Amino acid sequence: MMARTLNTNLISNKIPYEIYESSKQGAIAVAQMIATLIKEKQRVGENCVLGLATGSTPEPMYAELIRMHKEEGLSFKNVITFNLDEYYPMKPESSQSYHYFMEKQLFAHVDIKEENVHVPDGTIQENDIKEYGASYDKQIADAGGIDIQILGIGNNGHIGFNEPGASRYSGTRLITLDENTREANARNFSHLEEVPYRAITMGIGSILKSKKIMLLAWGDKKADAVQKSILEEATESVPASLLQAHNNCVFIIDTAASRLL
Ligand code: PGA
């Protein structure tokens, strides 16, 4: 299925955006852009470095990439991935971990090389996290930098787990989750009390180094954060608004998420 854009605002003076009729249409469009880049890089013998997100938002995009792998032979052999975040502490084998999420949603279904997959390690000793964060950012740089960074957005405007107040210069580090985020993510745990209080996340500075950024947002609950990020002044109290500083960032949204634009 070809995804059809309902409306494109590529000349907004803050952040350009594309509106799709449904999340599925938007997700397919993003998967097609990713697949195009993977194949272009294959043709010239290069790796394609993807920055990946978890949460419900990218799920239909991963489903489409898996379909392309199975039905159209899209190979992930030249793909290197870096995930945005992981809860802390968190064992990779836990069904609530983002390691587990990524295995289930994408990695187990495609031909990506295990050594090319990177998800922040939620088992690092606390004293070592600072060094670990710096080494995660260095690994990204050593891989050539992120070609396409995929982001979701929190109801509070967070990107990755960079909560309101996060510095635009931040690198990968340990953070404390907002209560709002813990509540939004409690659906994946049996009780709110089980949701970790902290996480390791790529920083806003790490994200802004990506060559291209695509932020996906579906549904009415995201409309307010999308509006503030795209139309209002950039501020650290709405982390996604800091993407205004990037020269190759686009928001891919559905009609419900575009309600306030
Ligand atoms: P969601 O989360 O995709 O589950 O809505 C997005 C986010 O918190 O970044």
Side-chain angles (χ1 to χ4, degrees), residues 22-148:
S22 66
S23 52
K24 187 161 184 209
Q25 290 271 327
I28 288 174
V30 175
Q32 282 167 347
M33 289 182 249
I34 292 175
T36 300
L37 186 67
I38 293 174
K39 287 187 269 186
E40 267 172 31
K41 294 275 189 179
Q42 273 162 7
R43 273 195 291 276
V44 292
E46 286 179 9
N47 288 323
C48 180
V49 184
L50 301 177
L52 298 180
T54 51
S56 57
T57 303
E59 283 182 17
M61 178 194 80
Y62 293 137
E64 176 64 7
L65 287 170
I66 293 168
R67 189 200 63 75
M68 288 173 171
H69 172 68
K70 295 202 155 85
E71 294 177 15
E72 296 169 10
L74 175 68
S75 172
F76 288 74
K77 286 214 166 109
N78 68 326
V79 174
I80 300 179
T81 64
F82 289 91
N83 262 83
L84 281 167
D85 46 20
E86 177 60 284
Y87 291 112
Y88 185 82
M90 182 56 76
K91 295 203 174 85
E93 61 274 17
S94 161
S95 63
Q96 278 117 6
S97 78
Y98 286 165
H99 282 77
Y100 184 89
F101 175 99
M102 287 307 303
E103 271 307 302
K104 212 168 109 217
Q105 295 294 328
L106 180 66
F107 299 147
H109 309 285
V110 296
D111 60 347
I112 193 163
K113 296 178 188 156
E114 211 182 313
E115 66 270 25
N116 285 352
V117 162
H118 308 85
V119 182
D121 183 353
T123 68
I124 291 286
Q125 288 294 314
E126 197 168 334
N127 285 342
D128 296 333
I129 294 181
K130 208 165 168 202
E131 199 178 320
Y132 174 76
S135 75
Y136 198 76
D137 287 328
K138 182 167 184 310
Q139 272 185 293
I140 295 174
D142 290 347
I146 289 172
D147 292 304
I148 298 182

